[in-house]
Amino acid sequence: MLLSFAEFLAGNNILLRPVFTKQPGSVVFPVHPTETSREVVFSCEAQGHPPPFYRWKLNDSFIVPRSGSRYALTGGNLRISHLNKEEDVGVYQCLATNSFGTIVSREASLHIAYLENFKTQSRSPVRVREGQGVVLLCGPPPHSGELTFTWIFNEYPFFVMQDTRRFVSQKTGNLYIAMVEPSDVGNYTCVVTNTVTKSSIQGPPTPLVLRVDGVMGEYEPKIEIQLPDVIPVAKSSTVKLECFALGNPVPTISWRRVDGVAVGRKVDVNKASGVLEIPYFQQEDAGLYECVAENSKGRNSVKGKLSFYAPPHLIEEPQDAQKPIDDTLVWECKASAKPKSSYRWLKNGEPLDTMEDRVQVNNGVLTISSLKLADIGMYQCVAENKHGRVFTNTELQVIAVAPDFSQNMLKPQTLARQGGDVLIECRPKMSPHGMISWRKGKEALRESHRYVSVLDNGSLRIANVTKMDVGLYTCVARNQFGVASSAGSLLVKETTIITSPAGHLDVTVGESIVLPCQVSHDPTLDLKFTWFFNEQLIHFGNHGGYFEKVGGRSAGDIMIRNIQLRHAGKYTCAVQTKVDSVSIATDVVVRGAPDPPVDFQVTEMTDSTASLSWGSGPDNHSPVLTHNIQARTTFSLGWQGVITVPELLGGKQLTATVIDLSPWVEYEFRVLATNAIGTGEPSKPSKKARTKDMPPKVTPSRVNGGGGGRSELVITWELQSGPGFGYVVAFRPQGAQGWMQAAVTSPDTSRYIFKNESIAPFSPFHVKVGVYNNKGEGPFGPVATIYSAEEEPSRAPGRVRARSVSASEVEATWKALTMGNRTAGVGPHCATVNVTTKKPPPSQAPVKIIWNTSNSKVILKWDQVRALENESEVTGYKVMYTQDRHSRPNVVETNTTSLELALPVNEDYVIQIKPFSEGGEGSSSRQITIPRIAGGTFYQMCIMTTSALSLVMCL
């Protein structure tokens, strides 16, 4: 069974103040005036220990339930039988009381809704002229609860339909006819309905008779339904304003806000009936509203002010308080409300007596000074305005006890550093606070420049501690209820001193250094060393192995191995004992090669030079001595050094000009800085920049050729590029004087073929290739000797042989006719040689594979693979094994259906088996995974492949 928290406390005899868990709510009860058998129940329940008892008030007077009375209590619930609308209507409150005090519930109203009959049975006729306006009075009978009104014309179920000429007020029940017409003549009956009891009553009919002494002339509107000067509206409620006027012609009704603020979109105006409806009323809807009635004869208007109101809502509540006797209590209670709340306080359900000077209430703030035991109880703040009230629920306990150290004894031993300050805490429980005094041994201590009693909490502070202060100290606490004491010893320890001097270390990247932290200290105290780097704790072992502790018991030295630039900074060694703590700092400067230069850019390009500039990066505590420029193109192999002006670039040089560049080539540049430590990383490459074009200076390289068809001279070279770039090819037979030339206009062409039937096979030619572009012609390159194409063979190859190798392979051999591999065409073919490939290898894979392991050996067995009629016979098997599925396997061949493999232990293996024949290799078995072999472990497993190609495993 689960217990509530309150049940748990009660079961353990823990006292608990009363707290409401259920409070009564307001009730509107529908009854018939003659009915006396109905009853109502108000709920009230409170937790507390001891369990609370309950009482009820009606209109601030106690209800006394007696045997046989109409009032009965069941627990905290109040039951009222045979409701009486004269005696039982009013405001009810529940009071719950236990040994802590009394609390009062919120207020709950009881209203009895009813509707009596009309007193009169007939009404006099109402006589009007045609065109005149008229008001027919309803005069509802005695009632309680909200009413609605309708009117019957002549007989049921013909009801008066409302329009711009006829209006039924839901405020008064009256029927308004703006301008009477002959069709309006008849009997009118008011029907009243109680929205709570759902009962309806018809009044006596009122005859409307048309006078015969003339027709009413036109007249200006006369507003019959007036607005109150001020209409209070509750927050978030819906308000309806009625306005209707008599007149001839029938007036039109309109609404506006007098303050000029536009009527919100949520506002509904019924133009037929003239009703203004504002749902979910808020502060911004408050203001002065005007109803205007007008026709052709004039206009009239009425005004009414909608005022916003809200019942109190608590925004700050007092909390339970436990105060020492003679102390001061301050409780603050705040509520939001419109209009503002007024405040009063209850104690144990009754108005708080504020006649004493020590009890003050000021705008919700309760102050009680010089607290007494009589002030103990339950207090409630009541915040109220004319629209409602709310209650808080708070307990005040006043504590009066003699001094008690049982929960806060002095520490048996307090350690202090010689020459330092020490605080011996004394915190007894007592109320009121009382006096604190101290003894050392048997002698009383008095305050001096060294002994200071901290009166706020009774603790003793000793300044500039010496060995003479060692001893037993006793704290004595007194108040009017008694005296108590507690004692503890003071021990004085030697001061901890760091003997290593604070310093400054200057090191180079890659070196290893030791940061010392040697101390002298009291030998009876343990030391704790902690290191910080730039104020951040060093976690040894988490910094890539750079930091290592190397100190002994009285030393906290650390070593930094292979120090890097990022290790430069402030290192602090903190030493802590139970009585003091000290620290020392060392600044470490790490020198290294420079960081890359920054903002590197190309400022100008010519056909053979590039102007460059850059900025200095950090020099890492060693001045930059030189700079070096490198460049690369799409033709170069990586980054290459270049020639610069000036030739040597010093450490402060931040510009340079690169010379001897090739025209119309796209370059990238970078710069490197060097100091005494070394050369740093290069800068980011510059944006690609192209040199300007000029007549070519560089001739094509790798001029070559040869081959081709009969009577052809093939010439090749290495490509170059540029705007308007082309090649000039010059050639002549060896020994001839004049040169033949041909222009190749495409820069992407690296081949030229000269064909002439007069060219003899394999004739030598002198060849040279030059270049040109839009700027002019360049030089020719060196002369190369190239041979024209050879003749095609005139005989077919001899000794042609062919043999079958496998089901898919044939091997052919022949006798060669010519030396080399270049000819000018295709010669005659040899005689046809027929050959037949071998039968295909077996299509069936090995099945029923069984394996077992023992002492680092794997023994495999499988069924013989039988070849089909159209397949070649099996001649053996290949067993392939590997440690994973992706590496190249080891292969062992066997002509039997079993194999023993010696495999290392502690490794997994993947094994496959396939048959082979003269037709080639057959189908492989499924992959078999053999788990790692533990020494001395024996496994046996079989893997059988069924006809459905599934695997059956047994172990």
mmCIF file of all heavy atoms in Angstrom, residues 847-852 859-863 897-899 913 943:
data_model
loop_
_atom_site.group_PDB
_atom_site.id
_atom_site.type_symbol
_atom_site.label_atom_id
_atom_site.label_comp_id
_atom_site.label_asym_id
_atom_site.label_seq_id
_atom_site.Cartn_x
_atom_site.Cartn_y
_atom_site.Cartn_z
ATOM 1 N N VAL A 847 30.251 -29.614 -51.119
ATOM 2 C CA VAL A 847 29.219 -29.550 -50.080
ATOM 3 C C VAL A 847 29.608 -30.479 -48.938
ATOM 4 O O VAL A 847 30.588 -31.221 -49.023
ATOM 5 C CB VAL A 847 27.835 -29.933 -50.647
ATOM 6 C CG1 VAL A 847 27.399 -28.918 -51.671
ATOM 7 C CG2 VAL A 847 27.866 -31.339 -51.256
ATOM 8 N N LYS A 848 28.799 -30.416 -47.862
ATOM 9 C CA LYS A 848 29.022 -31.236 -46.653
ATOM 10 C C LYS A 848 30.446 -31.084 -46.148
ATOM 11 O O LYS A 848 31.163 -32.058 -45.941
ATOM 12 C CB LYS A 848 28.685 -32.699 -46.924
ATOM 13 C CG LYS A 848 27.222 -32.933 -47.242
ATOM 14 C CD LYS A 848 26.907 -34.414 -47.407
ATOM 15 C CE LYS A 848 25.421 -34.613 -47.726
ATOM 16 N NZ LYS A 848 25.089 -36.045 -47.915
ATOM 17 N N ILE A 849 30.851 -29.828 -45.945
ATOM 18 C CA ILE A 849 32.202 -29.536 -45.463
ATOM 19 C C ILE A 849 32.215 -29.691 -43.941
ATOM 20 O O ILE A 849 31.410 -29.076 -43.230
ATOM 21 C CB ILE A 849 32.624 -28.114 -45.868
ATOM 22 C CG1 ILE A 849 32.594 -27.970 -47.395
ATOM 23 C CG2 ILE A 849 34.006 -27.780 -45.325
ATOM 24 C CD1 ILE A 849 32.788 -26.551 -47.870
ATOM 25 N N ILE A 850 33.123 -30.505 -43.455
ATOM 26 C CA ILE A 850 33.267 -30.744 -42.014
ATOM 27 C C ILE A 850 34.658 -30.288 -41.609
ATOM 28 O O ILE A 850 35.645 -30.591 -42.297
ATOM 29 C CB ILE A 850 33.074 -32.231 -41.667
ATOM 30 C CG1 ILE A 850 31.668 -32.693 -42.093
ATOM 31 C CG2 ILE A 850 33.291 -32.480 -40.181
ATOM 32 C CD1 ILE A 850 31.454 -34.179 -41.915
ATOM 33 N N TRP A 851 34.745 -29.537 -40.488
ATOM 34 C CA TRP A 851 36.062 -29.126 -40.011
ATOM 35 C C TRP A 851 36.142 -29.280 -38.492
ATOM 36 O O TRP A 851 35.145 -29.194 -37.789
ATOM 37 C CB TRP A 851 36.404 -27.688 -40.411
ATOM 38 C CG TRP A 851 35.458 -26.648 -39.877
ATOM 39 C CD1 TRP A 851 34.376 -26.148 -40.503
ATOM 40 C CD2 TRP A 851 35.533 -25.978 -38.606
ATOM 41 N NE1 TRP A 851 33.737 -25.209 -39.731
ATOM 42 C CE2 TRP A 851 34.447 -25.081 -38.555
ATOM 43 C CE3 TRP A 851 36.400 -26.044 -37.530
ATOM 44 C CZ2 TRP A 851 34.208 -24.271 -37.469
ATOM 45 C CZ3 TRP A 851 36.165 -25.234 -36.441
ATOM 46 C CH2 TRP A 851 35.074 -24.360 -36.406
ATOM 47 N N ASN A 852 37.335 -29.580 -38.038
ATOM 48 C CA ASN A 852 37.567 -29.553 -36.602
ATOM 49 C C ASN A 852 38.956 -29.001 -36.342
ATOM 50 O O ASN A 852 39.808 -28.986 -37.229
ATOM 51 C CB ASN A 852 37.377 -30.937 -35.968
ATOM 52 C CG ASN A 852 38.299 -31.979 -36.561
ATOM 53 O OD1 ASN A 852 39.516 -31.855 -36.434
ATOM 54 N ND2 ASN A 852 37.723 -32.997 -37.212
ATOM 55 N N ILE A 859 41.434 -29.378 -39.619
ATOM 56 C CA ILE A 859 41.279 -30.541 -40.507
ATOM 57 C C ILE A 859 39.958 -30.376 -41.246
ATOM 58 O O ILE A 859 38.897 -30.243 -40.623
ATOM 59 C CB ILE A 859 41.303 -31.850 -39.718
ATOM 60 C CG1 ILE A 859 42.634 -31.970 -38.962
ATOM 61 C CG2 ILE A 859 41.100 -33.045 -40.644
ATOM 62 C CD1 ILE A 859 42.673 -33.134 -37.989
ATOM 63 N N LEU A 860 40.046 -30.349 -42.587
ATOM 64 C CA LEU A 860 38.880 -30.136 -43.442
ATOM 65 C C LEU A 860 38.557 -31.411 -44.203
ATOM 66 O O LEU A 860 39.459 -32.122 -44.666
ATOM 67 C CB LEU A 860 39.137 -29.012 -44.444
ATOM 68 C CG LEU A 860 39.377 -27.624 -43.859
ATOM 69 C CD1 LEU A 860 39.994 -26.730 -44.915
ATOM 70 C CD2 LEU A 860 38.060 -27.040 -43.398
ATOM 71 N N LYS A 861 37.246 -31.710 -44.358
ATOM 72 C CA LYS A 861 36.789 -32.826 -45.190
ATOM 73 C C LYS A 861 35.549 -32.375 -45.938
ATOM 74 O O LYS A 861 34.765 -31.579 -45.429
ATOM 75 C CB LYS A 861 36.466 -34.048 -44.319
ATOM 76 C CG LYS A 861 37.670 -34.681 -43.655
ATOM 77 C CD LYS A 861 37.271 -35.917 -42.861
ATOM 78 C CE LYS A 861 38.492 -36.559 -42.182
ATOM 79 N NZ LYS A 861 38.125 -37.767 -41.398
ATOM 80 N N TRP A 862 35.349 -32.906 -47.162
ATOM 81 C CA TRP A 862 34.180 -32.542 -47.954
ATOM 82 C C TRP A 862 33.854 -33.665 -48.918
ATOM 83 O O TRP A 862 34.664 -34.575 -49.148
ATOM 84 C CB TRP A 862 34.412 -31.227 -48.700
ATOM 85 C CG TRP A 862 35.589 -31.233 -49.655
ATOM 86 C CD1 TRP A 862 35.580 -31.549 -50.959
ATOM 87 C CD2 TRP A 862 36.946 -30.929 -49.309
ATOM 88 N NE1 TRP A 862 36.843 -31.460 -51.487
ATOM 89 C CE2 TRP A 862 37.699 -31.066 -50.481
ATOM 90 C CE3 TRP A 862 37.582 -30.550 -48.111
ATOM 91 C CZ2 TRP A 862 39.070 -30.839 -50.516
ATOM 92 C CZ3 TRP A 862 38.938 -30.322 -48.156
ATOM 93 C CH2 TRP A 862 39.680 -30.467 -49.338
ATOM 94 N N ASP A 863 32.654 -33.607 -49.513
ATOM 95 C CA ASP A 863 32.236 -34.633 -50.478
ATOM 96 C C ASP A 863 32.892 -34.413 -51.825
ATOM 97 O O ASP A 863 33.160 -33.269 -52.242
ATOM 98 C CB ASP A 863 30.708 -34.594 -50.645
ATOM 99 C CG ASP A 863 30.019 -35.331 -49.514
ATOM 100 O OD1 ASP A 863 30.731 -35.764 -48.573
ATOM 101 O OD2 ASP A 863 28.778 -35.433 -49.563
ATOM 102 N N THR A 897 39.896 -35.237 -51.011
ATOM 103 C CA THR A 897 38.763 -34.475 -50.453
ATOM 104 C C THR A 897 38.956 -34.186 -48.971
ATOM 105 O O THR A 897 38.002 -34.057 -48.208
ATOM 106 C CB THR A 897 37.447 -35.238 -50.656
ATOM 107 O OG1 THR A 897 37.570 -36.527 -50.037
ATOM 108 C CG2 THR A 897 37.123 -35.370 -52.121
ATOM 109 N N SER A 898 40.208 -34.053 -48.540
ATOM 110 C CA SER A 898 40.506 -33.659 -47.164
ATOM 111 C C SER A 898 41.830 -32.918 -47.159
ATOM 112 O O SER A 898 42.646 -33.055 -48.071
ATOM 113 C CB SER A 898 40.553 -34.883 -46.237
ATOM 114 O OG SER A 898 41.615 -35.738 -46.616
ATOM 115 N N LEU A 899 42.022 -32.097 -46.081
ATOM 116 C CA LEU A 899 43.250 -31.317 -45.993
ATOM 117 C C LEU A 899 43.457 -30.925 -44.538
ATOM 118 O O LEU A 899 42.506 -30.604 -43.813
ATOM 119 C CB LEU A 899 43.172 -30.046 -46.863
ATOM 120 C CG LEU A 899 44.428 -29.186 -46.924
ATOM 121 C CD1 LEU A 899 45.561 -29.936 -47.629
ATOM 122 C CD2 LEU A 899 44.145 -27.862 -47.642
ATOM 123 N N ILE A 913 36.518 -23.486 -50.677
ATOM 124 C CA ILE A 913 37.044 -24.636 -51.427
ATOM 125 C C ILE A 913 36.404 -24.641 -52.795
ATOM 126 O O ILE A 913 35.181 -24.448 -52.911
ATOM 127 C CB ILE A 913 36.746 -25.958 -50.688
ATOM 128 C CG1 ILE A 913 37.294 -25.896 -49.240
ATOM 129 C CG2 ILE A 913 37.328 -27.156 -51.440
ATOM 130 C CD1 ILE A 913 36.872 -27.076 -48.387
ATOM 131 N N ILE A 943 29.239 -28.033 -42.182
ATOM 132 C CA ILE A 943 28.422 -27.081 -42.932
ATOM 133 C C ILE A 943 27.891 -27.824 -44.144
ATOM 134 O O ILE A 943 28.671 -28.267 -44.988
ATOM 135 C CB ILE A 943 29.235 -25.874 -43.366
ATOM 136 C CG1 ILE A 943 29.895 -25.280 -42.156
ATOM 137 C CG2 ILE A 943 28.404 -24.936 -44.183
ATOM 138 C CD1 ILE A 943 29.639 -23.875 -41.880
#
